[in-house]
Amino acid sequence: MTEQPNLETIVSLCKRRGFVFQASEIYGGLAGFYDYGPLGVELVNKLKAEWWRATVTDNDNIFGVDGAIIQNPKLWEASGHVAGFNDPMVEDLVTHKRYRADHLAGTDSTDLKELAQLLKDKQSPDGNNLSEPRYFNMMMQTFIGPVHDSNSVAYLRPETAGSIFTNFNNVRETMRAKLPFGIAQIGKAFRNEISPRDFIFRVRELEQMEMQYFIKPDQQADVYESWRQFAWSFLVDKLGIKEENLQWHEHDEKERAHYAAAAHDVYFKFPQGFKELWGTHNRTDYDLTNHQNFSGKDLTYYDEDTKDKYIPYVIESSVGVGRMFMAVLVNAYHEEQVNGETRVVLKLKPELAPYRVAVSPLLKNKPELVAKARQVYENLKTEFGSVMWDDNGNIGKRYRRQDEIGTPYCVTVDFDSLSDDSVTVRDRDTTEQKRVKISELVSNL
Ligand code: GAP
């Protein structure tokens, strides 16, 4: 099967194989919140490690931080989120269910007048009249300390970028950084989405991988272009996403976030259609200027070469871990018919597969086979880390199970292994099997 799996297929695979579960499932779940299971967390960690390596480790001038989720609320006033982090909403006048007005109208625009016009003859999905569209602020609130009043209100961060801007001077000084340089962060963010939907695509608790690149204002065009290309190349080269599943989407003025002068998204062909996966934004000097004004602290940069003093511009690269995870699964999902049965294979890049290899004794009730297989398993674990021990069911079932979770190789120890010190290695994609000497196993895999 070359066409894409539908959403139910992906949700069902994720639940069946331990990639993603509904959060607090035994209590009926909670809309917009998900838990990653044993296989999911392996894949998530690998995606984050790939991104961190390509963004931070491979670049001498990009530094990592790990900021607090809750910051001084003034940060979010300065960033414009308290006043302007809004989505347009309409309400069903009978059921009082709330919907994203732009989604119901089928537009990217968030302009209230335009939305009112588009929705004037529309009804809610339940067939009732709708309210006028209005803005709804997506910041999640909490209170700090024992007294719950307006003085103790704080926010769960809506994006990780906030503490990158407030640490601009700290990182510049401690790392003796000169422009251009970047600060990167991976972490949770929270958004009170009006209608969380499409599984982990639009959630209320998400994880972001963000990088702000601080530059001289006159470098904005070139740097913007190179981070835009970085997103595309990373998806194709590091994650193996097929280019036919990707598209560019440029934001027009009505769609852009309040801080962005230009924005390009890479869209991925999710089961529900081409949608945003990764954004590159030109945030100009918007954030540092506002933080300087609100905090009263000098956030200008002194250029020793030109003797100029200015507020740096910022090019931002921002992608959601959950959306990347979903894109990788959808892209890798493959079904084929083998002897009248459907074989489901996740054709993940070997570096991303939750388990690099699975090891089995042919029969689990033969101690000599189990002992030999255990030795092989321990050796491979030392080498690759993520190796699965699988002795459940017959060998055919084990292969199917490993195919479905994307394990690139299955190693089976059989009776011949006891005398010839070789094992059978079966390839996930071709299903071909070959005998390999145990001593040559690591280099073969
Ligand atoms: N700092 C810029 C920023 O946050 P954004 O376009 O709002 O920009 C960046 O978000 C990325 O975070 C998106 O491209 C998407 O991958 C992910 N994202 C945003 N909202 C999300 C949500 N509600 N659920 C899952 N992922 C989300």
Side-chain angles (χ1 to χ4, degrees):
M1 185 188 86
T2 46
E3 78 256 28
Q4 286 212 311
N6 61 31
L7 196 59
E8 291 69 43
T9 304
I10 291 298
V11 175
S12 153
L13 173 77
C14 282
K15 161 97 175 132
R16 195 170 65 246
R17 292 298 179 206
F19 282 97
V20 182
F21 308 123
Q22 234 189 338
S24 35
E25 188 186 271
I26 60 168
Y27 293 105
L30 188 61
F33 296 89
Y34 287 92
D35 296 337
Y36 287 88
L39 269 70
V41 78
E42 290 293 335
L43 178 52
V44 159
N45 286 342
K46 287 180 181 181
L47 294 175
K48 292 197 282 193
E50 285 285 341
W51 182 89
W52 192 264
R53 188 173 319 120
T55 309
V56 180
T57 319
D58 287 353
N59 291 299
D60 291 343
N61 66 341
I62 302 187
F63 311 99
V65 293
D66 186 6
I69 284 172
I70 295 179
Q71 301 274 340
N72 188 315
K74 284 198 190 117
L75 189 165
W76 305 115
E77 285 168 34
S79 70
H81 283 84
V82 172
F85 194 48
N86 298 317
D87 268 346
M89 177 187 84
V90 280
E91 194 171 320
D92 179 314
L93 293 174
V94 177
T95 64
H96 300 293
K97 282 191 207 157
R98 290 164 172 195
Y99 302 95
R100 278 278 292 266
D102 49 338
H103 292 169
L104 277 191
T107 173
D108 286 330
S109 170
T110 53
D111 183 77
L112 288 186
K113 275 203 192 120
E114 205 173 315
L115 289 167
Q117 186 60 25
L118 287 168
L119 290 170
K120 76 177 177 345
D121 299 323
K122 282 223 171 172
Q123 294 195 310
S124 76
D126 292 327
N128 303 314
N129 287 340
L130 291 165
S131 68
E132 284 291 305
R134 64 184 169 88
Y135 284 126
F136 170 80
N137 190 280
M138 292 196 289
M139 298 286 281
M140 284 231 190
Q141 276 190 17
T142 185
F143 297 93
I144 307 221
V147 182
H148 289 194
D149 64 16
S150 58
N151 293 325
S152 61
V153 167
Y155 303 97
L156 307 191
R157 64 183 176 193
E159 57 172 11
T160 61
S163 56
I164 290 183
F165 294 120
T166 53
N167 277 307
F168 170 71
N169 273 349
N170 286 336
V171 174
R172 184 179 58 72
E173 283 163 20
T174 52
M175 304 314 288
R176 299 176 304 285
K178 292 198 170 28
L179 292 193
F181 73 91
I183 306 181
Q185 172 160 220
I186 300 179
K188 294 278 180 125
F190 299 81
R191 299 181 177 187
N192 208 352
E193 292 282 350
I194 297 162
S195 42
R197 60 178 182 177
D198 297 327
F199 191 39
I200 52 173
F201 177 82
R202 187 176 303 286
V203 287
R204 289 176 166 142
E205 176 176 336
L206 56 137
E207 190 162 25
Q208 292 186 311
M209 302 190 276
E210 298 203 292
M211 192 283 317
Q212 322 298 131
Y213 205 64
F214 298 91
I215 54 169
K216 270 186 184 167
D218 64 4
Q219 295 170 329
Q220 53 182 315
D222 288 350
V223 175
Y224 181 75
E225 195 51 36
S226 73
W227 281 105
R228 205 153 87 72
Q229 293 311 327
F230 172 83
W232 187 283
S233 312
F234 182 92
L235 293 167
V236 174
D237 301 338
K238 307 279 186 199
L239 306 188
I241 305 268
K242 298 173 207 119
E243 293 207 70
E244 74 243 32
N245 285 337
L246 299 177
Q247 253 178 21
W248 283 113
H249 172 81
E250 184 174 5
H251 288 215
D252 65 21
E253 209 178 316
K254 287 180 187 144
E255 197 188 342
R256 282 200 292 266
H258 60 275
Y259 48 72
H264 270 88
D265 293 332
V266 180
Y267 270 26
F268 174 79
K269 194 175 177 195
F270 288 101
Q272 69 275 27
F274 273 101
K275 299 274 174 200
E276 175 183 347
L277 167 58
W278 190 326
T280 306
H281 312 126
N282 179 353
R283 292 180 77 132
T284 67
D285 56 357
Y286 171 90
D287 298 272
L288 287 182
T289 303
N290 280 353
H291 287 303
Q292 174 166 283
N293 292 341
F294 274 69
S295 68
K297 298 284 183 305
D298 183 5
L299 297 178
T300 52
Y301 176 80
Y302 176 66
D303 191 322
E304 283 165 16
D305 300 330
T306 62
K307 313 287 179 228
D308 287 336
K309 208 169 179 216
Y310 51 85
I311 294 204
Y313 267 44
V314 171
I315 303 300
E316 169 182 71
S317 177
S318 173
V319 59
V321 176
R323 284 196 194 175
M324 188 185 274
F325 177 97
M326 192 166 160
V328 164
L329 283 190
V330 169
N331 184 77
Y333 189 91
H334 188 83
E335 272 181 18
E336 62 194 31
Q337 294 303 314
V338 181
N339 303 331
E341 270 185 38
T342 305
R343 181 172 96 102
V344 174
V345 198
L346 275 190
K347 295 196 169 184
L348 294 169
K349 284 192 94 174
E351 302 87 323
L352 298 180
Y355 292 100
R356 188 70 187 242
V357 49
V359 179
S360 302
L362 183 64
L363 299 171
K364 71 172 174 185
N365 57 358
K366 295 286 171 202
E368 61 279 33
L369 290 187
V370 173
K372 186 97 187 163
R374 275 274 165 204
Q375 258 176 22
V376 172
Y377 169 75
E378 295 299 341
N379 283 344
L380 292 179
K381 228 174 150 57
T382 315
E383 192 61 34
F384 296 115
S386 52
V387 179
M388 191 185 230
W389 175 260
D390 190 359
D391 60 5
N392 239 319
N394 66 37
I395 204 77
K397 281 204 176 123
R398 292 178 205 166
Y399 287 160
R400 292 287 175 272
R401 187 161 53 235
Q402 296 302 330
D403 288 345
E404 230 187 1
I405 62 171
T407 310
Y409 300 105
C410 291
V411 168
T412 306
V413 173
D414 56 22
F415 289 105
D416 289 341
S417 309
L418 301 176
S419 52
D420 68 4
D421 259 331
S422 297
V423 288
T424 301
V425 176
R426 187 255 195 188
D427 182 293
R428 172 195 74 193
D429 296 340
T430 63
T431 72
E432 273 166 20
Q433 302 184 19
K434 60 177 181 183
R435 291 295 283 180
V436 175
K437 283 264 170 228
I438 291 174
S439 56
E440 291 163 14
L441 202 45
V442 168
S443 57
N444 256 276
L445 297 178

